[in-house]
Structure formats: structure tokens, C-alpha cells
Amino acid sequence: MGSQSDWATMKHAATVLTDLGVPFEARIVSAHRTPQRLYDYATSAKGRGIKVIIAGAGGAAHLPGMAASMTTLPVLGVPVESHALKGQDSLLSIVQMPGGVPVGTLAIGKAGAINAGLMAAGILALSDERLDAALTAWRTRQTDAVALVPVDDPA
């Protein structure tokens, strides 16, 4: 993530990955304030065994695209909601990557972080039967938690 304040959003991806038993690392890597850290992180990720990068950023949101420009690993971008434009600036900065440097872009905020965790798990599950079973079970629990009929007071 680009800053400490992004953790409020990105922790939702971490929760999903933890629930599915996927090891991960959470780091603050700013494209603007720590460019050398970004370079070192992105260029070493594959060699360190990283398979997918989830990058969350707000505002100008350069982190996902810059990370993608330095690795061939899949990069999933989570637009963090900003104060000025409610995350629309973040979304457009991530989704409008030039052809040739893809970033898989998710929804703004918490939903995007949750889905980034699920998408990363889905990518990894292509070659991991245990994770595929865990992801299938997660989705089954989600489906089973939806009531058939509404009630006046679900609490």
C-alpha cells in the first residue's frame, strides 16, 4: 500500500488471505515518497517467491502501475477512497494503464480489497488444490449465509 492510512482499506484483503490460509506480506511502499523501496520490492518480488501483488493506493495512485512496470507478476490494483474525489481519481489512475502494462483493477475501497484478496487466491488456486478447496468452501459459506426470505429485524 502507498501509505499507513491505506491499511484501513487493504486490511480487508489481508483478512481474506488469512481466512484462506494464503501467506502474504503487507508493506508500505510509496511510489512518490519511497521510490527506491518500490523499485527494490517490485524487482525482487518474483525471485522471493511472490506470485501475485495486490497494490492499493489513493489519489494519484501510481503504485499499482509502477509495480506492474517492474515485474511480470500479476498486479491487482485497489483504488483507495480519497477525500477529494471519493476514490474516482484513484480508480482512473489505476484502470487507465497504457496498453502493454496491465493492472487488474478492482472496485474502490473495501469491496475492491476483499475482491483483490479473492482474485489473488483464485489465481494461486489454479495450481494449488488445497487453496482451490478453501476458496470453494469460502464461497459456499458466503452463499449459505444469504437468507431465502427477508425478516423485519435480522439482528
Side-chain angles (χ1 to χ4, degrees):
M1 65 207 76
S3 66
Q4 174 63 48
S5 62
D6 296 342
W7 182 240
T9 297
M10 298 309 294
K11 69 182 177 184
H12 300 289
T15 297
V16 167
L17 295 171
T18 298
D19 289 350
L20 293 171
V22 177
F24 66 93
E25 53 188 34
R27 298 289 184 270
I28 298 171
V29 180
S30 170
H32 298 106
R33 293 177 303 277
T34 64
Q36 187 63 50
R37 188 184 301 173
L38 169 57
Y39 177 83
D40 294 343
Y41 188 87
T43 59
S44 71
K46 188 180 250 184
R48 294 184 302 107
I50 303 293
K51 304 283 187 217
V52 180
I53 294 173
I54 300 173
H62 292 331
L63 180 61
M66 289 300 295
S69 75
M70 293 183 238
T71 183
T72 57
L73 293 173
V75 175
L76 306 177
V78 177
V80 173
E81 187 173 336
S82 60
H83 297 289
L85 297 173
K86 302 293 185 201
Q88 291 182 29
D89 49 345
S90 310
L91 173 65
L92 292 174
S93 293
I94 297 171
V95 78
Q96 284 302 124
M97 288 297 296
V101 184
V103 173
T105 309
L106 286 299
I108 297 168
K110 179 181 176 180
I114 291 169
N115 285 340
L118 291 169
M119 186 170 283
I123 292 168
L124 297 171
L126 292 170
S127 60
D128 183 331
E129 290 181 19
R130 183 215 55 86
L131 182 53
D132 186 56
L135 187 57
T136 299
W138 191 96
R139 287 201 169 183
T140 298
R141 286 190 304 275
Q142 177 179 257
T143 298
D144 292 346
V146 177
L148 180 61
V149 295
V151 295
D152 288 330
D153 186 9

